[in-house]
Amino acid sequence: MSDDPIALAEALIASGRAAEAAQGLRARLAAGRGGLLARLTLVRALSASGQTQGALEEAREAVALNPGTAVAVLALGEALLAAELLPAAIAELQRALRLDPDMDVARLRLAQAWLKAGEAQRALGVLDTLEASPQTQMLEQLARTMLAAPRSDAGYVRHLFDQFAGDYDQRMIGQLGYTAPRILLDLASLVMPGRQDLAILDLGCGTGLAGLAFKSFAARLDGVDLSPLMVEKARARGIYDHLVVADLETALAEQGPVYDLVLAADTFVYLGDLAAVFAGVAGRLAPDGFLLFTTEAGEGEGFELGPKRRWRHSEAYLRQAAIKAGLQVAGLVAATPRHEKGQPVEGFAVALCR
Ligand SMILES: C[S@@+](CC[C@H](N)C(=O)[O-])C[C@H]1O[C@@H](n2cnc3c(N)ncnc32)[C@H](O)[C@@H]1O
């Protein structure tokens, strides 16, 4: 093996002994015998040995010591990407490219970060600026598959709501005049009057606004949502019995409890094709159970993606999809779950039962 400590560490990483490489480099740096290259190699060794947090800390240190150095900023962007801290990763990768516009590896990582965040169009924009390679072609294929999917990408939804979570309630209630929970309460009083002590599942529970509205009817209240930060807010309310961070289509397809009431307040606007969710709910409803949800109203026979990247469903589609899943329409009324720029957004409030 080489005497050069960096070459030695690289060889150890290449032979699957990254943790050993990290240990050696740490000792060197602690003894004041390593510079930027040693620290960046340490970041790579820590990443390769699965020490994501350690890699992130060392990458931050590398940038603190070398703030204007593109390779250090790139390493931080990569470490943030590995830790799935996407907005920060994207910002650092863009900064690396401002420092060195020719850095193709930063461009490639930026495309990967946009893809992870479900931003296929932006990923394609970056990939267009790179020479074609098997890796760019694979990423392009992924982006095109994402764009053609009949629902919003899970990464996009997670990223979007993780960013919103901090001030979601104020924005929804204050700026957007959000009333979906209230609308669903009114619909419940029509289709299932007087029912109490219900086992309730809140699909796309977000921060828990619909859960809060229905809590007094619940013997058990469960929630599922893709966004960890929204779920954190819901958990802080202390009203849910069980909360899970998951895609609702996946969660419904698994074995689990049966519910008297399944809610989806302003959630199906992130799902175009509702076949999977209706089938999943049908398998989880008690014989006298209901699914109550709001949608944005679309035209014609199907569903379409609106300009705000929210899906709209036509009445005809909702009725057909319900029948296909073996569910009956117990109620379907026009509703305005929210406003945008002061204008009402037309929608439906729907009750399905078995
Ligand atoms: C507009 S918010 C509504 C939140 C809550 N129902 C309310 O009334 O405030 C939509 C929520 O649905 C979640 N969501 C969207 N698609 C989802 C999916 N496929 N699986 C799980 N959660 C999803 C989002 O993360 C977000 O928290």
Side-chain angles (χ1 to χ4, degrees), residues 20-159:
E20 218 175 299
Q23 214 175 7
L25 288 165
R26 260 197 210 288
R28 248 192 113 66
L29 283 160
R33 286 187 297 131
L36 175 61
L37 190 56
R39 198 171 300 275
L40 295 183
T41 313
L42 172 58
V43 171
R44 265 209 310 289
L46 290 167
S47 299
S49 60
Q51 301 177 64
T52 313
Q53 207 48 44
L56 194 50
E57 278 161 25
E58 290 299 338
R60 285 204 168 107
E61 183 68 9
V63 172
L65 296 171
N66 309 269
T69 307
V71 282
V73 179
L74 167 68
L76 178 55
E78 289 179 326
L80 288 162
L81 180 57
E84 302 231 352
L85 296 169
L86 300 179
I90 288 165
E92 292 303 333
L93 292 167
Q94 288 173 328
R95 184 151 76 99
L97 281 166
R98 282 197 297 280
L99 290 167
D100 180 358
D102 296 327
M103 196 183 238
D104 280 352
V105 58
R107 233 177 274 286
L108 192 70
R109 297 285 178 260
L110 183 57
Q112 287 171 325
W114 280 127
L115 266 183
K116 263 200 177 173
E119 296 283 356
Q121 207 60 62
R122 289 180 197 260
L124 284 175
V126 177
L127 290 169
D128 267 357
T129 65
L130 280 167
E131 227 168 81
S133 69
Q135 211 173 357
T136 62
Q137 280 160 354
M138 191 209 40
L139 294 176
E140 201 173 310
Q141 183 58 41
L142 266 176
R144 299 215 178 280
T145 308
M146 210 180 265
L147 285 174
R151 55 161 282 179
S152 301
D153 177 72
Y156 164 70
V157 172
R158 186 181 302 117
H159 177 60

Side-chain angles (χ1 to χ4, degrees), residues 17 44 101 118 155 160 168 180 185 238 252 277 283 312 316 323 344 350:
R17 293 159 66 192
R44 265 209 310 289
L160 181 71
Y168 173 86
L185 263 184
L252 284 169
V277 66
R312 298 169 175 160
I323 291 168
V350 185

Side-chain angles (χ1 to χ4, degrees), residues 147-236:
L147 285 174
R151 55 161 282 179
S152 301
D153 177 72
Y156 164 70
V157 172
R158 186 181 302 117
H159 177 60
L160 181 71
F161 284 97
D162 273 357
Q163 283 178 305
F164 276 163
D167 63 350
Y168 173 86
D169 291 4
Q170 296 92 300
R171 282 169 73 126
M172 290 300 272
I173 295 163
Q175 292 168 25
L176 301 179
Y178 180 62
T179 54
R182 175 78 246 164
I183 290 169
L184 293 186
L185 263 184
D186 290 346
L187 187 60
S189 70
L190 281 177
V191 298
M192 46 192 307
R195 296 272 303 270
Q196 287 283 345
D197 297 329
L198 303 169
I200 302 180
L201 173 63
D202 188 1
L203 296 176
C205 61
T207 62
L209 291 177
L212 196 59
F214 278 85
K215 177 66 179 166
S216 61
F217 301 96
R220 175 194 172 98
L221 179 60
D222 294 345
V224 53
D225 200 286
L226 263 172
S227 157
L229 298 188
M230 294 290 269
V231 168
E232 213 173 89
K233 294 271 174 189
R235 187 161 283 125

